[in-house]
Amino acid sequence: VNDSLMRFFDHCAKFVALVEENDTAMCQVNAFKEGPEMRKVLEKVASALCLPVEELNADLVQVAFLACSYELAIKNVTSPWCSLFSEEDAKVLEYLNDLKQYWKRGYGYDINSRSSCILFQDIFQHLDKAVEESKSSKPISSPLIVQVGHAETLQPLLALMGFFKDDEPLKANNYIRQMHRKFRSGRIVPYAANLVFVLYHCDQVKTSKEEYQVQMLLNEKLMLFHHSNETISTYVDLKDYYKDILENCHFKEECALPKVNITAVDEL
């Protein structure tokens, strides 16, 4: 168990103070809860339950939706709660959750992803070691390395690497424009979400650069690398693409709280 590595977000003072425990950081989420899309869902649910709409709020409706979705996902049972929601309602509630993940764990604030660089660098240190041992014709001391964390571990790491980034930020007022967004947390970090780096030693290659190659799989599906738009990359090219993060992202400095007295929003 290495919480400083796998729960880096708990150990990053800047993230904890300015995002995790800062209500204003979730202003887009709160605005969407009060917006027209959620209002429409609230009114519909209130009508179905024969309740005054004033007795419901977005959080209560979200709990009902989660009760429906959890039973469906875990037990393959259609809960009575599901009868309250249409597919359109589900899309609205999915967006509400994606907004929260975006602003709290994804691209909303730089510190969300920058705090994960300690884990990113650790992954490449293990890969480096395997390459060095292979070049020296030594047995690979750790042919398989498994690190176990949470969705909150994986989401920032994927954001740091630039995956599932939309041209426009997810906001309370652009629900319609984001109907075809890349950032869908339910697909990125579902149950048992996993990210695998596979390092290959290739014997029959034309150049020494091609001798070591890498693939990445998210939830058992191959990922396209940004720099090549292919599912395989030479290890040299991959390291070169992420050179800035590998060399210039320092966890202690990234996560230090600003000493000057400025607002959280300005700092973020």
Side-chain angles (χ1 to χ4, degrees), residues 3-4 7-22 25 104-105 109-112 114-116 118 250-259 264 267-268:
D3 280 353
S4 61
R7 294 187 66 87
F8 50 80
F9 42 87
D10 282 345
H11 299 262
C12 183
K14 186 176 180 181
F15 169 77
V16 171
L18 302 187
V19 181
E20 183 74 35
E21 296 177 353
N22 177 18
K104 206 163 193 173
R105 305 291 179 184
Y109 303 109
D110 283 345
I111 191 58
N112 298 351
R114 296 292 287 184
S115 63
S116 75
I118 187 173
H250 306 287
F251 183 80
K252 191 175 178 181
E253 289 80 359
E254 297 281 349
C255 289
L257 278 168
K259 291 176 183 176
E267 172 60 22
L268 291 167

Side-chain angles (χ1 to χ4, degrees), residues 153-181:
T153 310
L154 204 48
Q155 189 78 76
L157 182 66
L158 289 164
L160 184 73
M161 297 181 74
F163 290 107
F164 308 107
K165 187 174 186 179
D166 294 286
D167 295 334
E168 188 180 353
L170 272 64
K171 291 188 175 181
N173 63 359
N174 62 2
Y175 168 71
I176 298 297
R177 292 198 302 279
Q178 293 288 13
M179 289 296 282
H180 301 289
R181 64 191 178 279

Side-chain angles (χ1 to χ4, degrees), residues 131-132 134-135 199-214 233-237:
V131 168
E132 287 166 18
S134 173
K135 283 182 176 178
L199 179 67
Y200 295 95
H201 180 218
C202 309
D203 292 325
Q204 298 176 342
V205 289
K206 294 175 184 176
T207 64
S208 59
K209 179 183 172 182
E210 296 173 321
E211 190 176 351
Y212 294 94
Q213 302 194 30
V214 185
S233 166
T234 66
Y235 187 52
V236 172
D237 284 345

Side-chain angles (χ1 to χ4, degrees), residues 16-86:
V16 171
L18 302 187
V19 181
E20 183 74 35
E21 296 177 353
N22 177 18
D23 289 340
T24 60
M26 295 297 105
C27 61
Q28 294 296 327
V29 180
N30 295 329
F32 189 72
K33 286 179 180 180
E34 303 297 327
E37 293 88 3
M38 275 304 302
R39 183 71 189 175
K40 190 176 175 183
V41 175
L42 274 173
E43 289 171 352
K44 185 178 169 185
V45 171
S47 174
L49 294 173
C50 300
L51 286 171
V53 72
E54 295 76 23
E55 288 189 19
L56 286 180
N57 58 42
D59 292 337
L60 286 170
V61 169
Q62 193 172 29
V63 168
F65 179 67
L66 290 174
C68 158
S69 55
Y70 287 160
E71 287 203 46
L72 194 60
I74 298 168
K75 298 181 179 180
N76 200 25
V77 169
T78 304
S79 161
W81 291 109
C82 295
S83 64
L84 295 175
F85 304 104
S86 66

